[in-house]
């Protein structure tokens, strides 16, 4: 079969106008359902449920798609559905909001929450084009292409993906493990991708499997991300039914079996070796390296482990955007928290990113600093907002905008978080993270002790939870020394 | 080989070894609180940091437990940066440990209760800890000069007990668990899981709340723990310690000894203080047991409280046994024995030895019988069982001295275990079987009518009706050979699917393979009936022959019930031609033909079937002389009891299951008038007119070496390596033998078959009287009955029941467990001083006895 034939076999919705009600975790959390019900009555078949398109702030929301016109109606609870019905009737001439009008084709988020959630909808929007092309190429060429686009690991460590795929080839075929744990607070990009464009993830997996020879895969989804899991499993079933998985619907025989697993959850459960232990039914604690998991990972087999976004981004390999895209979940003291796609082109700055999220009249009094990378992250002070974004500095991408003056309190909370999430396997992190909290809670800050403690935890911990637990503290101390003059606890009061 | 530079010196080491082990071998002081030699590293404690250059991985400070030696690597363990990194890590451990003595330079000056430099009174911390001066964590602190290092994370004002410490678990008699001392190194977890395959310990909680938990978090004795103590051996702190000796187990000296509670003969190191044993550690000498032992080896010496030991000899004065001086007791004994001999002839005298005695004692006992008393009537209570087995081996394999070595078991690919529950009877062999299954993927076929801990490791468990074990093994042999000698009926009770799996498993072995690694039969005979033991031995030999042809003898492992069965038999504790066996001695005593009996270290009332007969026999004797270390029930009938030292205080050799001679040195001196068996036996023989002149055990061993084939002088015994085998091999003379058909199954209503066995928790001495420790565990107090049978008899779980065979009634609580085959009931041998043995006929019988079961009527 060819892709065209596949499309023909899945014609999908044929009308001109569509109403997409944004469900997803964000939409359902704020009660989109009654609005959706109402719209279905009004618009009939033209109305479908889609996932969140990244504009979490807008929920409950719905988007009207007409040829040449794409218009998101935000906060239906506040505005009611009247304006939307007007638009639907074809008499909308208002300039749609920025997001609604942007041309999405080509980007990572192009289909996110903008299809009706069916395979047909995804195919119509370009899904599996890249996979079909990749399957027709030699695996080594695919790896070359991924190397050429300079894709790096979006789980946060930004290890070059092409190189990782290369390590995984050569010996026994690897098992592909997809990291969809996303336990880090403030990060919700992978969930959005699984809910809003699961076929892109499957497509990325097909490309990775073809490049490395993997024939089985396991997707490890956070146990609390039930919608993401349901959406992904639905997509898997559709893909299998259509002959994309286990058939030759993409023009070449595909022999990839995909299993979905969930664990108990927790920050450290996103660390790659913890995932392997968890899938194996062992205690969820890290393994020491070497051996690298590309040599001996899941059940001792060579293992290729990638983040959801990494694989999603791999689908762009034939048409790489000029600047590498990064999904940035932004939350905190901004008017428009949500998922943003940033072109890391050397021009974009923290400030420009914030600008997009500030959103006109909703703009809060100000953002004092940004926390980049959550409990393993660093603070970016307002003075640094003009500095250009760098891919590696973004980590997994989670940004939390903080109102001025909250830094010491946040630092203490992060320290508590790390102490709580420590798995307890290694001494420095198990014993040291609670001492960090103690030192931060003390009425006056003992800098020499704190520095020494951060040093030993950073140097001697087994995994990067401990290895980076001191990072936000060191960053806060360097960036806002005055905030700690009375210790973190003192400042918090 | 790899050349590495270690602290500036170039050395040659094996390539690819775990660096931390190399460092320790080189005598480098390296802290390594979570590493267990020989296991995969855990890499959790982070105290083994060293500086490594020239190896794969980034140069700099790295763990030595996860690093492997490579040619050209440079390792520095003492640079200031390395030392500081290790100090910092340890300081974090110390901060959460009742530890401040560790970091105090004044520690050696303080005593518990002193006013401390920085606290009120020294009331916790190392000085008052049971592990003080023998603690790995403490040593680690000393290695790193933590006394010169301040306590960076804990203020002086802070006392350790920020929160109430977790409660210690002192509820069982063996293992004390004090979680406040734990540093979460997880060595115990891994020892229990990876070394013992028991998995009794897990980690609970996470982060700072991580805790060691037994089973599902309850008391130790409610978990699967069987108190082997492997976790105690590896615990670097005072968290897991032996309960009986927790506060006294600080040894001045170590003595190499042997456990005599089963025929594995694990070598033990007794730590002694003030001339008494205060602690036991495995002694690596025996290549079968190496660093592992079981609860009996570790705690056997404490099973009998010192106050219950016999420290003085006793003689009957009127109706009472009263303490008398040792010489007087010996003289009394000699006088009475001489009188019987004079009046009734020496045929009226018989001697019973002990399969737990040393070779030297057995040799002297045999000489005493034959030379000083002039009798050939000498045996031990399990003698007939052993002789049935050895006869079977001679018939089938041409010799009873089989070359099979138990060190091979853990390497074997296919293992058939025949017998009861060897986890309970011969635990370290059970462990080696598990090793083979877990580490080498070996296939295990288990033939046992009762569930045991090996079942979960088995590819197939064949659960015959009691008495059909031999027929079951025979069926397996038939799967390998169509020799008519193997013909027989399908075994009763065995599940068809299990049999099919087992058959496939044995058929898959490379028959007549060249190496012993292919196949092993491990066989522990029925301990009561010589007839059944004979059938089982013949069937086991057949299976080995069917599998390995002329090499069969190298693949058949016989586990005698008791420690020195081979040795005492070799030494001549066996009836001479035409002389009386144990059962015949008892019958003759009942008939008044045997009038005097000498018993050394055995209690036939507990150990032998037909205890009613034995009791009347003992009562009707003119003279009963008992030599023992405890006051046993048999001793109550004696005219003279000679106080012997306990086994751990005697020196001598044992010949264990695979005929390894192991040396045991006395770990204690005499108290009261206890004397070594050798001295007592010599004195008695001399008082009877013999001329026994032995200067200690080694002197006897020299005599043995001269007179018993295969034995060597004491100093030439390479303990655990010297084996007593045929001078020539035994290959090439195998013969398949028919096995008697098992008795037809009784009709329904004929009652339940009685099974019994020795449990894990009673060492020999403990069993021979009463073990306080075993009693505290309450594991020997109920009969195990299949719920199906119980319901048919109207019995509920926990009910008091009565087992009756028409002549005897045995009252015991019922415990439901479908691990016993339907139609049978298991009564622990230990229960009520061996009460179950009264249900068996004196000669052990052919078919197991049957009993009716009923619930005790409410009074
Ligand atoms: C404490 C900790 C938490 C992590 N959590 C995640 C996570 O939630 N999702 C993720 O993809 N990677 C996470 N990582 C990184 C993974 O270990 C791994 O580097 C990544 O999944 C590799 O995929 P990539 O190369 O595609 O980025 C975490 C790492 C650490 C140390
Ligand atoms: S650093 Fe923390 S989370 Fe990582 S292994 Fe150590 S204790 Fe566990
Ligand atoms: S366990 Fe060791 S370090 Fe801890 S208090 Fe006891 S002796 Fe001291
Ligand atoms: S004593 Fe033995 S069985 Fe019990 S927990 Fe320790 S290692 Fe496990
Ligand atoms: S009990 Fe002992 S061996 Fe087990 S984790 Fe604690 S300190 Fe380590
Ligand atoms: S009873 Fe047997 S297995 Fe246990 S320690 Fe003694 S000799 Fe070893
Ligand atoms: S011994 Fe190396 S980390 Fe514990």
């Amino acid at each position: 079969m060819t892709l065209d034939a596949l499309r023909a076999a899945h014609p999908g919705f044929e009308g001109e106008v569509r109403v997409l009600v944004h469900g997803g975790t964000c939409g359902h959390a704020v009660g989109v359902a009654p609005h959706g019900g109402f719209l279905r009555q009004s618009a009939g078949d033209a109305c479908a449920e889609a996932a969140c398109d990244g504009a979490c702030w807008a929920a409950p929301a719905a988007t009207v798609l007409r040829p040449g016109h794409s218009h998101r109606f935000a906060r239906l609870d506040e505005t009611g559905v009247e304006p939307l019905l007007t638009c639907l009737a074809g008499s909308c001439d208002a300039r749609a909001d920025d997001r609604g009008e942007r041309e999405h084709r080509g980007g990572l988020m192009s289909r996110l929450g903008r299809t009706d959630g069916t395979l047909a909808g995804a195919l119509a929007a370009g899904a599996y084009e890249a996979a079909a092309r990749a399957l027709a190429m030699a695996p080594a060429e695919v790896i070359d292409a991924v190397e050429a686009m300079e894709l790096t690991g979006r789980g946060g460590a930004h290890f070059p993906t092409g190189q990782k795929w290369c390590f995984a080839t050569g010996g026994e075929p690897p098992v592909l493990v997809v990291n969809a744990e996303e336990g880090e607070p403030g990060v919700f990009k992978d969930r959005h991708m699984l809910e809003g464009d699961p076929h892109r993830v499957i497509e990325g997996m097909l490309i990775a499997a073809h490049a490395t020879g993997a024939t089985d895969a396991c997707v490890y989804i956070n146990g609390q991300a039930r919608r993401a899991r349901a959406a992904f499993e639905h997509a898997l079933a559709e893909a299998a039914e259509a002959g994309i998985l286990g058939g030759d619907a993409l023009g070449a025989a595909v022999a990839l079996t995909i299993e979905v697993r969930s664990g108990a959850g927790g920050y450290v459960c996103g660390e790659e070796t913890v995932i392997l232990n968890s899938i194996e039914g062992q205690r969820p604690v890290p393994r020491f390296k070497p051996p690298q998991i590309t040599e001996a990972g899941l059940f001792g087999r060579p293992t290729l482990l990638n983040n959801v976004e990494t694989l999603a981004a791999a689908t762009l390999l034939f048409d790489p955007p000029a600047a590498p895209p990064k999904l940035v979940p932004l939350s905190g003291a901004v008017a428009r928290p949500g998922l943003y796609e940033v072109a890391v082109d050397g021009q974009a700055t923290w400030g420009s990113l914030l600008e997009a999220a500030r959103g006109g009249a909703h703009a809060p009094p100000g953002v004092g600093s940004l926390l980049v990378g959550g409990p393993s992250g660093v603070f970016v002070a307002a003075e640094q907002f003009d500095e250009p974004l760098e891919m590696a500095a973004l980590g997994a991408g989670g940004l939390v905008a903080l109102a001025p003056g909250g830094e010491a309190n946040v630092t203490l909370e992060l320290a508590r978080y790390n102490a709580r999430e420590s798995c307890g396997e290694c001494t420095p992190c198990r014993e040291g993270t609670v001492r960090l909290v103690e030192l931060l809670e003390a009425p006056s800050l003992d800098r020499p002790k704190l520095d020494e403690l951060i040093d030993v935890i950073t140097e001697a911990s087994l995994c990067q939870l401990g290895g980076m637990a001191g990072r936000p503290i060191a960053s806060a101390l360097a960036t806002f020394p005055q905030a700690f003059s009375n210790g973190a606890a003192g400042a918090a009061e | 080989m790899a050349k590495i530079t270690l602290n500036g010196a170039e050395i040659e080491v094996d390539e690819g070894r775990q660096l931390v082990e190399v460092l320790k071998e080189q005598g480098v002081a390296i802290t390594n609180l979570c590493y267990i030699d020989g296991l995969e590293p855990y890499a959790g404690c982070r105290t083994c940091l060293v500086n490594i250059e020239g190896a794969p991985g980034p140069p700099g400070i790295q763990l030595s437990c996860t690093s492997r030696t490579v040619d050209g690597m440079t390792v520095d363990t003492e640079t200031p940066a390395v030392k500081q990194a290790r100090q910092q890590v340890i300081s974090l451990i110390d901060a959460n440990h009742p530890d401040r003595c560790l970091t105090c330079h004044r520690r050696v000056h303080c005593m518990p209760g002193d006013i401390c430099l920085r606290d009120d009174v020294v009331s916790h911390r190392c000085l008052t800890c049971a592990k003080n001066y023998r603690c790995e964590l403490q040593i680690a602190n000393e290695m790193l000069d933590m006394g010169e290092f301040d306590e960076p994370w804990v203020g002086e004002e802070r006392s350790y007990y920020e929160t109430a410490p977790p409660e210690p678990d002192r509820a069982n008699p063996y293992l004390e668990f004090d979680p406040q001392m734990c540093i979460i190194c997880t060595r115990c977890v891994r020892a229990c899981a990876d070394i013992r395959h028991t998995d009794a310990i897990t980690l609970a909680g996470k982060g700072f709340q991580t805790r060691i938990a037994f089973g599902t978090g309850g008391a130790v004795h409610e978990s699967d723990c069987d108190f082997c103590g492997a976790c105690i051996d590896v615990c670097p702190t005072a968290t897991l310690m032996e309960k009986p000796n927790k506060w006294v187990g600080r040894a001045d000296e170590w003595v190499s000894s042997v456990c005599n509670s089963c025929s594995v003969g694990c070598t033990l190191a007794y730590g002694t203080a003030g001339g008494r044993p205060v602690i036991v550690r495995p002694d690596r000498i025996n290549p079968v047991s190496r660093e592992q032992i079981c609860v009996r080896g570790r705690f056997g010496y404490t099973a009998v409280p010192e106050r219950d030991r016999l420290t003085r000899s006793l003689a009957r004065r009127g109706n009472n046994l009263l303490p008398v001086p040792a010489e007087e007791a010996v003289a009394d004994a000699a006088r009475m024995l001489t009188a019987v001999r004079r009046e009734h002839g020496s045929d009226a005298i018989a001697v019973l030895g002990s399969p737990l005695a040393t070779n030297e004692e057995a040799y002297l006992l045999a000489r005493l019988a034959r030379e000083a008393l002039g009798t050939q009537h000498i045996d031990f209570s399990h003698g007939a069982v052993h002789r049935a087995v050895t006869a079977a081996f001679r018939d089938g394999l041409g010799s009873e001295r089989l070359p099979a070595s138990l060190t091979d078991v853990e390497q074997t690919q296919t293992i058939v275990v025949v017998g009861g529950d060897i986890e309970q009877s011969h635990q370290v062999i059970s462990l080696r079987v598990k090793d083979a299954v877990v580490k080498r993927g070996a296939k295990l076929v288990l033939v046992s009518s009762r569930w045991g801990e090996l079942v979960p490791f088995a590819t197939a468990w064949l659960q015959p009706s009691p008495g059909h074990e031999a027929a079951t093994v025979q069926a397996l042999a038939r799967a390998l050979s169509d020799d008519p000698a193997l013909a027989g009926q399908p075994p009763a009770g065995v599940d068809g699917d299990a049999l099919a799996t087992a058959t496939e498993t044995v058929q898959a072995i490379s028959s007549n393979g060249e190496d012993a690694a292919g196949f092993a039969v491990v066989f522990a005979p029925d301990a009561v009936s010589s007839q059944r033991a004979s059938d089982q031995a013949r069937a086991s030999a057949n299976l080995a022959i069917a599998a390995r042809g002329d090499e069969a003898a190298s693949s058949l492992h016989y586990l005698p019930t008791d420690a020195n069965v081979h040795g005492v038999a070799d030494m001549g504790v066996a009836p001479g031609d035409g002389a009386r066996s144990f059962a015949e001695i008892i019958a003759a005593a009942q008939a008044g033909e045997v009038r005097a009996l000498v018993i050394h270290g055995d209690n036939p009332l507990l150990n032998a079937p037909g205890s009613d007969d034995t009791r009347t026999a003992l009562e009707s004797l003119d003279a009963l002389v008992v030599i023992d270390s405890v006051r046993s029930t048999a001793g109550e009938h004696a005219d003279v009891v000679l106080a012997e030292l306990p086994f751990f205080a005697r020196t001598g050799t044992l010949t264990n299951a695979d005929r390894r001679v192991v040396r045991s040195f006395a770990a204690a001196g005499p108290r009261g008038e206890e004397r070594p068996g050798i001295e007592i036996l010599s004195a008695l023989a001399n008082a009877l007119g013999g001329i026994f002149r032995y200067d200690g055990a080694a002197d006897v061993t020299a005599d043995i070496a001269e007179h018993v084939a295969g034995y060597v002088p004491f100093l030439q015994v390479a303990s655990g390596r010297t084996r007593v085998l045929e001078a020539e091999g035994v290959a090439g003379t195998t013969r398949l033998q028919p096995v008697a058909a098992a008795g037809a199954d009784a009709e329904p209503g004929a009652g339940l078959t009685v099974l019994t066995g020795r449990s894990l928790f009673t060492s020999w001495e403990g069993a021979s009287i009463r073990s306080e420790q075993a009693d505290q565990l309450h594991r020997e107090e109920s009969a195990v009955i299949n719920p199906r049978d119980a319901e048919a008899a109207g019995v509920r779980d926990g009910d008091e029941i009565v087992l009756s065979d028409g002549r005897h009634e045995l009252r015991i609580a019922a415990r439901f467990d479908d691990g016993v085959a339907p139609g049978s009931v298991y009564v622990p041998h230990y229960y009520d001083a061996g009460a179950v043995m009264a249900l068996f006929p004196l000669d052990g019988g052919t078919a197991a006895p049957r009993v009716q079961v009923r619930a005790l009527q409410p009074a």
Side-chain angles (χ1 to χ4, degrees), chain A residues 265-268 283 285 288-290 419-432 434-435 438-439 449-450 452-453 455-457 459-463, chain B residues 40-47 49 63 66 84-85 88-90 92-93 95-96 149 151-155 158 162 183-185 203-210:
Chain A
Y267 186 25
V268 80
R283 192 174 149 83
V285 293
F288 60 84
K289 300 172 206 160
R420 213 164 45 233
E421 293 297 315
S422 162
C423 80
E425 178 159 72
C426 73
T427 305
C429 168
R430 181 185 67 241
E431 306 291 335
V434 292
R435 304 289 161 215
E438 272 178 17
L439 287 174
K449 275 191 185 183
L450 191 59
E452 187 180 353
L453 185 52
D455 195 46
V456 51
I457 298 175
E459 293 302 319
S461 287
L462 195 160
C463 85
Chain B
E40 286 290 301
Y42 175 69
C45 77
R46 321 302 280 184
T47 59
L49 297 166
L63 298 182
T66 56
Q84 194 196 357
Q88 286 175 329
V89 172
I90 288 252
L92 282 167
I93 294 175
N96 190 23
F149 189 76
E151 298 171 320
W153 329 123
V154 188
R158 172 179 167 278
E162 292 172 305
I183 63 169
I184 322 291
C185 68
L203 282 175
K206 68 175 197 175
F208 197 62
Q209 265 65 47
T210 308

Side-chain angles (χ1 to χ4, degrees), chain A residues 6 10 108 111-113 115-132 190 192-207 228 230-245 250 258 308 311-315:
Chain A
L6 180 66
H10 295 83
L108 252 186
R111 297 197 296 263
L112 191 78
T115 69
D116 58 8
T118 61
L119 173 63
L123 284 170
Y128 296 109
E129 280 171 18
D190 297 339
H192 268 80
M193 191 53 77
L194 291 174
E195 283 181 29
D197 195 2
H199 288 288
R200 190 183 293 282
V201 182
I202 298 173
E203 186 174 1
M205 291 174 70
L206 287 173
I207 295 172
F232 186 71
E233 284 182 332
H234 176 71
L236 275 183
E238 276 187 310
E241 170 94 357
I244 294 172
L245 286 172
L250 298 180
I258 301 179
V308 167
L311 292 168
T315 61

Side-chain angles (χ1 to χ4, degrees), chain A residues 184-420:
Chain A
E184 182 180 321
V187 181
F188 40 82
K189 62 190 178 80
D190 297 339
R191 258 168 265 210
H192 268 80
M193 191 53 77
L194 291 174
E195 283 181 29
D197 195 2
H199 288 288
R200 190 183 293 282
V201 182
I202 298 173
E203 186 174 1
M205 291 174 70
L206 287 173
I207 295 172
H210 177 63
T212 58
T215 59
D216 59 336
C218 181
V219 183
Y220 189 82
I221 302 180
N222 190 309
Q224 277 152 13
R226 280 185 291 274
R227 270 180 196 282
R229 180 169 175 157
F232 186 71
E233 284 182 332
H234 176 71
L236 275 183
E238 276 187 310
E241 170 94 357
I244 294 172
L245 286 172
D248 62 355
L250 298 180
V254 170
L256 181 66
T257 51
I258 301 179
E259 201 189 330
V260 179
R261 298 289 281 272
S262 293
Y267 186 25
V268 80
C269 288
E271 202 276 341
E272 55 189 21
T273 58
V274 182
I275 291 182
L276 303 187
N277 276 344
S278 175
I279 295 175
E280 286 181 16
Q282 318 264 13
R283 192 174 149 83
V285 293
R287 305 176 181 175
F288 60 84
K289 300 172 206 160
Q292 296 299 332
I293 64 168
T294 42
E295 281 163 46
L298 190 63
F299 295 109
R301 297 171 56 193
T303 302
L304 172 65
L305 188 140
N306 271 125
N307 171 256
V308 167
E309 185 192 342
T310 313
L311 292 168
T315 61
L316 306 178
L317 86 169
F318 295 112
D319 197 8
K326 175 80 192 82
L327 295 181
V328 175
L330 175 62
S331 56
V334 289
R336 296 186 162 184
L339 185 61
Y340 293 84
E341 180 170 349
V342 188
V344 184
D345 54 4
Q347 310 287 311
T349 63
W350 305 107
S352 61
L353 188 51
L354 274 174
E355 210 48 54
R358 239 174 225 150
H362 292 279
V367 176
S369 60
L370 275 172
L371 172 64
V372 185
S376 311
V378 294
F379 292 88
V380 176
E383 304 79 68
Q384 298 160 280
F385 283 179
D386 292 340
E387 291 172 9
L389 294 177
E390 274 173 43
M391 188 57 97
L394 279 168
L399 295 192
V400 182
L402 302 173
E407 297 84 7
N409 201 11
V410 170
T411 308
L412 179 57
E413 278 312 319
L414 292 177
R416 288 183 179 141
Y417 179 85
N418 280 321
R420 213 164 45 233

